[in-house]
Amino acid sequence: MRRWNGWGEEGVVFPLSEKARVLLQEQLGPGTLPREATLEEVLSRVPPSRLPPHPLVSPDPEERLRHARGQSLPDWIFLRSGQIPAFPDGVAFPTTNEEVRALLAYAREVGARVIPYGGGTSVAGQVSVLPGEAPVLSLDLRRMNRLLRLDEKSLLATFEAGVQGPDLEAQLRAWGFTLGHFPQSFPYSTLGGWVATRSVGQESLRYGRIEDLFAGGRLEAPAGTLLLPSFPASAAGPDLKQAALGSEGRLGVLTEATVRIRPLPKAEAFAAVFFREFGEGLEAVRRMAQEEVPLSLVRLSTPEETAVNLALAGQSRGLALLEAWLALRGAGPGRALLLLGASGTRARVSQALGEALGIARAHGGVYAGQAPGRFWAHHRFRQPYLRNTLWEMGYAVDTLETAGTWNQVPRLLLAVEAVLREALGEEGERVYAFSHLSRVYPTGANLYTTYLFRLHRDPGTNLARWRKLKAAASQAIVAHGGTISHQHGVGTDHLPYLEAEKGPWGLEALRALCRALDPWGLMNPGKLV
Amino acid sequence: MRRWNGWGEEGVVFPLSEKARVLLQEQLGPGTLPREATLEEVLSRVPPSRLPPHPLVSPDPEERLRHARGQSLPDWIFLRSGQIPAFPDGVAFPTTNEEVRALLAYAREVGARVIPYGGGTSVAGQVSVLPGEAPVLSLDLRRMNRLLRLDEKSLLATFEAGVQGPDLEAQLRAWGFTLGHFPQSFPYSTLGGWVATRSVGQESLRYGRIEDLFAGGRLEAPAGTLLLPSFPASAAGPDLKQAALGSEGRLGVLTEATVRIRPLPKAEAFAAVFFREFGEGLEAVRRMAQEEVPLSLVRLSTPEETAVNLALAGQSRGLALLEAWLALRGAGPGRALLLLGASGTRARVSQALGEALGIARAHGGVYAGQAPGRFWAHHRFRQPYLRNTLWEMGYAVDTLETAGTWNQVPRLLLAVEAVLREALGEEGERVYAFSHLSRVYPTGANLYTTYLFRLHRDPGTNLARWRKLKAAASQAIVAHGGTISHQHGVGTDHLPYLEAEKGPWGLEALRALCRALDPWGLMNPGKLV
Ligand SMILES: Cc1cc2nc3c(=O)[nH]c(=O)nc-3n(C[C@H](O)[C@H](O)[C@H](O)COP(=O)(O)OP(=O)(O)OC[C@H]3O[C@@H](n4cnc5c(N)ncnc54)[C@H](O)[C@@H]3O)c2cc1C
Ligand SMILES: Cc1cc2nc3c(=O)[nH]c(=O)nc-3n(C[C@H](O)[C@H](O)[C@H](O)COP(=O)(O)OP(=O)(O)OC[C@H]3O[C@@H](n4cnc5c(N)ncnc54)[C@H](O)[C@@H]3O)c2cc1C
């Protein structure tokens, strides 16, 4: 059973190493766990549904609770405290296009708003139910999870869009293929959710972002059905796939998606490198990106994050030796960890890693074997469980991300971390922030910042702290030329900053698209635009 | 001076080899050259301008003639015969964003329609002036051709959008960079035109289509200015760059474009392979694409086109020897020519060609040296001059293109060629059609078909023949799952087929975009959508 107010499966726990506990105490002081609402308490507070009955719509309070919020930090604050601003009035689990269309017609008839719901792993408020006059219908697509067509000759697979990561990969693996899209939310997030949020997988350097993988599909919009054909490429006017990508449920419901697949890789390998300082690592990964070395993973941590990574790995003889050896080679406390990965044929893997290590060495990098990379790969889907552990220790953890050109990356990183560290100064609270780059491009890179702060007993205070931090970081991002989101989308949390990036006429163009496909304004209002 | 009624520079002639002349006579019979209108004749027929005077607008009849049509076959029929349906009422050559905005305001004021004009190399009617009540202003952007910014660290260059191919490359080469975008119209076509038509260069396999190269820009729309930021990537909602791409002047005027650039390649090499039959070649290039061999050029000709290529190369001892040797190796009259190219570092070039040749051999390909590839590369921008030569011999030549998934490519190719060959049967005229693939993708390929037919003395008959051929081929494309355009765009000629691909709601979405940015309907009406 999935946790209703946290990450992942009940019973699965990722304990923090002693070393990491100590580090946290040092950085933030002792945490306080606010009072947690029980499931029963919260269920007793779910108000009666405002939706007239429909055979496909469940008014069950637990379903409604489980579809009320996503996985952002504010979502957690509401869920854990039990102070949830609004619930959907009903949840439907359609299994066909026709049922989706019937539900859209019903929503129009009864004046309901519709929130398409995939895995509910949204971290920017995309699935959150907002208080309002109109009843809200959550449209859970996870029962639409079949592989509909597989074209092995053209390397295209068509799935129903509610298919979740592991199910999708299992269905492809049975035929010898992979999509290669592995966001950290992979165990729960869905193909439709990936498309609707322009998601980025951890091996996107090799496989591409979801926009590169999404070849076409079917969008059931209130106005009608939009079929997106799967041409290899087309010059026939603006590309409407690119309107579905990132549409966050505003244009309609994606019911089918055709994706570009690849044969399962024959080999996969990782390598770790330590740089004496972050700047050297930055130059090295820029060169790797610009020389188009065919890697699958490039993940460069700041010195702070490198320290956290080492602390998380715990205490072992191997690690102690590694640290001693690194110190000897000049990579002391300011060292920055770079993880590299490659996949494909054996020859290409070894060539790519060879080229990359050559570049790393030329920038002062010290090769540190394969173990750290394998450790990362092994734990990558377990890591989000740390959010539960940390919360229970009295710490809130959130992540922020952006992307900028190489020209801007260093300043962007400094600015975001600096404002986060200072944002709670007035309250006498510290913020622990550290970052990595996890996707490089020839023209720039993303930045992914994790920040922790202490929880207060009062959920309102926690929310206010988060708001301060989010506003400060978002303003810094905009001011330093970053995009308001490289991978998490817009939702409610980034909406105020979208105009800075799209401009007034860009927003108008997006609104016009919404009006064209959803003239009655049914779809997920208050999100994106 | 550029020809006003044909391709390229006056005085440049690409004569046809004797062998090719004979082949044409055999295939189509002798040609007839219809009467050609002189420049003076046509100029005398340019009607008075309906535009009130404006300091930036020239009413000069020759400018107006030179901006009346593009380079499609119907454009040629009108220009050569002098029976030109309509002329722009004025031509402006803005040099700044402010001038562009002033001209848009003027157009709105005087009720004029605006056609942005780049190199005028459009081949689907995109710049053609359509007869109508409203006066027409052609907005020639070629005086906006400066390199505005070069970010060597992020590999981004910002140009004014009217810059033509050779000028753009020269400005980049001065700094050691290239865009790598080489459509066959390169000598004249502009960056803005490439973006507005979703153009594809001949080395797009390495460098990407213009949609991969276009990082952002500035679109002056009647409603206001749309700034498209150059993030390396973003998840902040639908990508509006993708609305500018393929917008064909319908949304506004692209005045600046930021493009992704690369260091000039250190090495470049070509290889030719002959297959005994086309099907073997098709399987080979599919494997090259799906194994992602880093080539820059893959161009596979059908047996008919292979014969044409050999005929065009003329008679030489080398060629005679090649043909004898190929016959010996089993590649007889049904043989299909594959040209391969790679560029980059010396090591990567030789590795890519090595891998590709390995795959070719595994599919029965016979390596035929580097000469045919070098011959192609040398003549690639000269080839369009053959259109002049052929016309003057009494033959019309046109090209058609589409793309489909690998599953569909063989049937699509057969269907398009078959309907073309039969389309003029009723009139007792033959059509000579042959094709190649010039861009492969992991999921499919483009198809590029050249077709020739005899000119009639009457321009109306020529136009009717072209209409029949175009309709037959377009219907075959749609019926066999191809896109109506892989590289030339929509314009007037593909407009009737756009709904088959975008659907009614897709068209509605595009119209809504146009309304949002151009509420008064000034921009290039009658094109695209
Ligand atoms: C621990 C954790 C790690 C994460 N790691 C990553 C990561 O590595 N990379 C990354 O990109 N993101 C990541 N995310 C964010 C999140 O997983 C992605 O945004 C994901 O794409 C959401 O998919 P989902 O199926 O859960 O969609 P949901 O959260 O259910 O919905 C997200 C949005 O998409 C819309 N939507 C969903 N399905 C459809 C559909 N079929 N049709 C129309 N609209 C639809 C919803 O209305 C909503 O607006 C992470 C989140 C968490 C909690
Ligand atoms: C011989 C020949 C070979 C060709 N080879 C190729 C090829 O290999 N690949 C390929 O893709 N195409 C090819 N084409 C087609 C043509 O060259 C392309 O469509 C090219 O992109 C057009 O660019 P242009 O600057 O000439 O635009 P134009 O023909 O002037 O205009 C084309 C369209 O773009 C709009 N437009 C132009 N500039 C702007 C701007 N700044 N802002 C807004 N709208 C604008 C116009 O309004 C019009 O709708 C070829 C054409 C010919 C004649």
Side-chain angles (χ1 to χ4, degrees), chain B residues 467-484:
Chain B
R467 288 223 171 91
K468 252 191 216 170
L469 287 158
K470 186 73 181 177
S474 299
Q475 285 157 17
I477 285 173
V478 167
H480 290 84
T483 169
I484 198 62

Side-chain angles (χ1 to χ4, degrees), chain B residues 178-233:
Chain B
T178 179
L179 176 61
H181 188 73
F182 304 111
Q184 221 185 15
S185 59
F186 176 79
Y188 299 108
S189 52
T190 65
L191 178 52
W194 300 337
V195 172
T197 58
R198 288 190 172 258
S199 155
V200 184
Q202 292 167 334
E203 295 177 43
S204 73
L205 192 57
R206 161 143 173 68
Y207 291 100
R209 296 166 59 93
I210 199 71
E211 37 293 27
D212 306 311
L213 300 172
F214 176 58
R218 182 186 188 103
L219 185 85
E220 297 293 355
T225 302
L226 186 66
L227 291 178
L228 300 162
S230 301
F231 302 125

Side-chain angles (χ1 to χ4, degrees), chain A residues 151 153-156 197-198 206 209 211 223-226 229-240 242-243 245-246 260 262 283 286 290-293 348 351 355 403-407 441-445 481-487 489-490 498 501-502 505-506 509-510 512-513 516-517 528, chain B residues 151 153-156 197-198 206 209 211 223-226 229-240 242-243 245-246 260 262 283 286 290-293 348 351 355 403-407 441-445 481-487 489-490 498 501-502 505-506 509-510 512-513 516-517 528:
Chain A
D151 177 351
K153 194 158 181 188
S154 315
L155 297 184
L156 287 169
T197 58
R198 289 190 171 254
R206 161 144 173 66
R209 296 167 60 94
E211 41 284 35
T225 302
L226 185 66
S230 300
F231 303 124
S234 168
D239 184 358
L240 293 172
Q242 298 282 343
L245 283 158
R260 303 189 167 121
R262 285 184 173 85
E283 277 305 294
R286 179 167 75 93
Q290 296 189 336
E291 294 183 9
E292 302 175 71
V293 182
R348 287 215 198 154
Q351 208 207 336
E355 275 187 45
T405 58
W406 288 113
N407 230 347
Y441 301 85
T443 62
T483 169
I484 196 63
S485 176
H486 169 264
Q487 61 207 64
V490 180
L498 195 64
E501 147 161 6
K502 304 276 187 194
W505 292 104
L510 293 181
L513 268 177
L517 296 179
L528 178 60
Chain B
D151 176 351
K153 193 158 181 189
S154 314
L155 296 183
L156 287 169
T197 58
R198 288 190 172 258
R206 161 143 173 68
R209 296 166 59 93
E211 37 293 27
T225 302
L226 186 66
S230 301
F231 302 125
S234 169
D239 183 359
L240 293 172
Q242 298 282 343
L245 283 157
R260 303 186 169 122
R262 285 183 173 86
E283 276 307 293
R286 180 168 74 92
Q290 296 188 336
E291 294 183 8
E292 302 174 70
V293 182
R348 287 213 197 155
Q351 208 208 335
E355 276 188 45
T405 59
W406 288 113
N407 230 347
Y441 301 86
T443 63
T483 169
I484 198 62
S485 175
H486 168 265
Q487 61 207 64
V490 179
L498 195 65
E501 143 160 12
K502 303 278 186 194
W505 292 104
L510 293 181
L513 270 177
L517 296 179
L528 179 59

Side-chain angles (χ1 to χ4, degrees), chain B residues 450-466:
Chain B
T450 302
Y451 63 97
L452 293 98
F453 61 96
R454 292 200 295 184
L455 288 167
H456 189 274
R457 217 174 298 129
D458 168 43
T461 305
N462 292 328
L463 199 62
R465 284 182 184 169
W466 175 81

